[in-house]
Amino acid sequence: QVQLVESGGGLVQAGGSLRLSCAASGRTFSTYAMGWFRQAPGKEREFVAAISWSGSSAYYADSVKGRFTVSKDNAKNTVYLQMNSLKPEDTAVYYCAADLWGKGSQLPSEYEHWGQGTQVTVSS
């Protein structure tokens, strides 16, 4: 069983940066692909970024490509989402998720474990 805890959210002005962290429990973190999703009020949960279990491949939603970077530190059992050039439309609750032996799917249904989410608010 994997437990995920996100941190690093907050309030930032447009154009600013935040780094989200997601700490995982358990000894098998290296075997999990990790994904970041977000959900704004009244909207469906959407894919943001993902990294394969090996860390060799990363994938991004078109809306964040070039601004966000996902990375995975197996020694620290942590996945990060570096968010630069933030926009008001990035405001949402951000969730990390884990997919055993995954390749970095964009589908929420592929992920077995989810964190509780962290709020990101970008002011204009």
Side-chain angles (χ1 to χ4, degrees), residues 20-32:
L20 304 184
S21 300
C22 174
S25 64
R27 300 180 180 180
T28 59
F29 179 75
S30 62
T31 63
Y32 283 86

Side-chain angles (χ1 to χ4, degrees), residues 16-20 67-68 81-86 94 120:
S17 298
L18 282 175
R19 188 177 79 157
L20 304 184
R67 299 188 298 122
F68 290 12
L81 185 67
Q82 178 66 44
M83 305 187 296
N84 299 329
S85 302
L86 283 161
Y94 283 70
V120 171

Side-chain angles (χ1 to χ4, degrees), residues 13-110:
Q13 289 189 332
S17 298
L18 282 175
R19 188 177 79 157
L20 304 184
S21 300
C22 174
S25 64
R27 300 180 180 180
T28 59
F29 179 75
S30 62
T31 63
Y32 283 86
M34 300 299 296
W36 286 97
F37 294 80
R38 66 187 181 187
Q39 188 167 18
K43 294 189 176 181
E44 298 279 326
R45 187 169 298 191
E46 65 173 359
F47 170 77
V48 176
I51 187 165
S52 62
W53 70 269
S54 65
S56 61
S57 299
Y59 305 92
Y60 299 93
D62 288 343
S63 59
V64 307
K65 203 170 292 183
R67 299 188 298 122
F68 290 12
T69 303
V70 60
S71 60
K72 190 171 182 264
D73 187 336
N74 289 331
K76 295 183 178 180
N77 277 18
T78 302
V79 63
Y80 303 98
L81 185 67
Q82 178 66 44
M83 305 187 296
N84 299 329
S85 302
L86 283 161
K87 304 175 181 179
E89 51 263 44
D90 295 317
T91 295
V93 177
Y94 283 70
Y95 299 89
C96 70
D99 175 18
L100 183 63
W101 298 117
K103 297 180 179 180
S105 174
Q106 298 186 22
L107 300 175
S109 59
E110 294 291 317

